[in-house]
Amino acid sequence: MDLGKTIQTLRKQKGYRQNTFADMVELSQTYLSQIENNQKEPNLTTLKLIATKLDTSLPILFFLSLDEADIPASKKALFQVLGPLVKPLIEGLADGN
């Protein structure tokens, strides 16, 4: 799961600079950078605030962060088929489109 990269991608898609977004979610820019680089794991309250400010939901944030390593071996074949089909739909929800 690459939650940090997903947060960074959505932040950039919304046009927020890291320092501006850090202020919006009441974090230091350093801490936000550590989250985006997967060096720190934010608590659930912080993740909810980040998702809200990115105009998305936690389930969407988590889904977009999934990678094949997160999927049980018994479900990988299904994920490989459905992932590329479903991910663009979920990204559209995250973008508000």
Side-chain angles (χ1 to χ4, degrees), residues 14-45:
K14 299 286 183 185
Y16 298 130
R17 294 179 56 93
Q18 191 178 61
N19 60 336
T20 303
F21 190 69
D23 288 343
M24 290 172 65
V25 294
E26 302 173 9
L27 299 174
S28 70
Q29 183 178 357
T30 301
Y31 188 60
L32 179 60
S33 175
Q34 290 171 331
I35 292 170
E36 290 184 349
N37 289 300
N38 295 308
Q39 296 169 339
K40 296 282 185 180
E41 291 185 15
N43 62 37
L44 191 55
T45 301

Side-chain angles (χ1 to χ4, degrees), residues 3-88:
L3 190 57
K5 182 69 171 174
T6 301
I7 291 169
Q8 180 183 57
T9 299
L10 292 174
R11 173 183 61 78
K12 287 180 177 182
Q13 286 174 353
K14 299 286 183 185
Y16 298 130
R17 294 179 56 93
Q18 191 178 61
N19 60 336
T20 303
F21 190 69
D23 288 343
M24 290 172 65
V25 294
E26 302 173 9
L27 299 174
S28 70
Q29 183 178 357
T30 301
Y31 188 60
L32 179 60
S33 175
Q34 290 171 331
I35 292 170
E36 290 184 349
N37 289 300
N38 295 308
Q39 296 169 339
K40 296 282 185 180
E41 291 185 15
N43 62 37
L44 191 55
T45 301
T46 300
L47 281 175
K48 285 179 183 178
L49 182 57
I50 288 171
T52 299
K53 296 296 182 179
L54 291 172
D55 196 30
T56 194
S57 68
L58 278 178
I60 289 174
L61 194 62
F62 289 140
F63 180 85
L64 293 175
S65 300
L66 284 176
D67 58 34
E68 211 170 299
D70 300 315
I71 307 301
S74 63
K75 308 271 191 229
K76 282 193 185 204
L78 183 60
F79 181 78
Q80 289 170 341
V81 171
L82 291 179
L85 299 173
V86 173
K87 195 164 186 173

